[in-house]
Amino acid sequence: MTELEKCMESLIFIFHRYAGQDDDGRKLSKKELKKLIEEELPSFIKAQKNPQTVDSIMKDLDLNKDDKLDFEEFLPLVAGLALACEKCYNSREKKGKK
Ligand SMILES: [Ca+2]
């Protein structure tokens, strides 16, 4: 597998590992989302001072308002974080060159 294929597999694998913790194995409940963020994105959650962060993330991502996130609803979180990380990467690159 290529590196990118491995990344995609990891994303799917991680999503299902957390989504599978209650009866609905295909969607993340708020509790599961919270656990995923705390365990897989610890520096992200530490940077957020607001204790309501998980609630507001859930609200933003849950497009069909069933209080659960399917994989399609979960992806924008990863994409958004990847975008933010890439911006940091770019600014570090610029600083490094000067
Ligand atoms: Ca949903």
Side-chain angles (χ1 to χ4, degrees):
M1 266 203 282
T2 68
E3 230 172 296
L4 185 57
E5 284 168 342
K6 275 187 231 159
C7 285
M8 290 189 283
E9 194 188 55
S10 298
L11 265 181
I12 295 168
F13 186 75
I14 289 167
F15 175 81
H16 283 282
R17 191 195 312 154
Y18 288 89
Q21 292 183 357
D22 63 10
D23 298 340
D24 189 346
R26 290 192 300 181
K27 291 177 182 180
L28 284 175
S29 64
K30 195 191 281 177
K31 211 175 128 198
E32 290 166 336
L33 175 71
K34 190 168 182 278
K35 204 160 178 238
L36 187 154
I37 291 174
E38 282 171 355
E39 290 179 7
E40 308 294 335
L41 300 164
S43 39
F44 164 71
I45 199 72
K46 262 178 227 153
Q48 308 290 321
K49 298 278 185 280
N50 186 349
Q52 304 301 312
T53 300
V54 175
D55 293 82
S56 60
I57 292 172
M58 187 82 192
K59 229 191 212 167
D60 286 347
L61 296 176
D62 184 19
L63 297 177
N64 64 357
K65 306 287 170 215
D66 66 351
D67 282 323
K68 288 184 173 182
L69 299 183
D70 58 26
F71 190 62
E72 200 180 333
E73 290 169 327
F74 168 70
L75 272 185
L77 173 66
V78 180
L81 287 172
L83 275 173
C85 290
E86 203 258 352
K87 272 182 198 147
C88 291
Y89 177 83
N90 282 341
S91 62
R92 264 211 306 269
E93 284 270 288
K94 263 182 222 157
K95 273 179 206 159
K97 272 173 195 163
K98 266 176 196 170

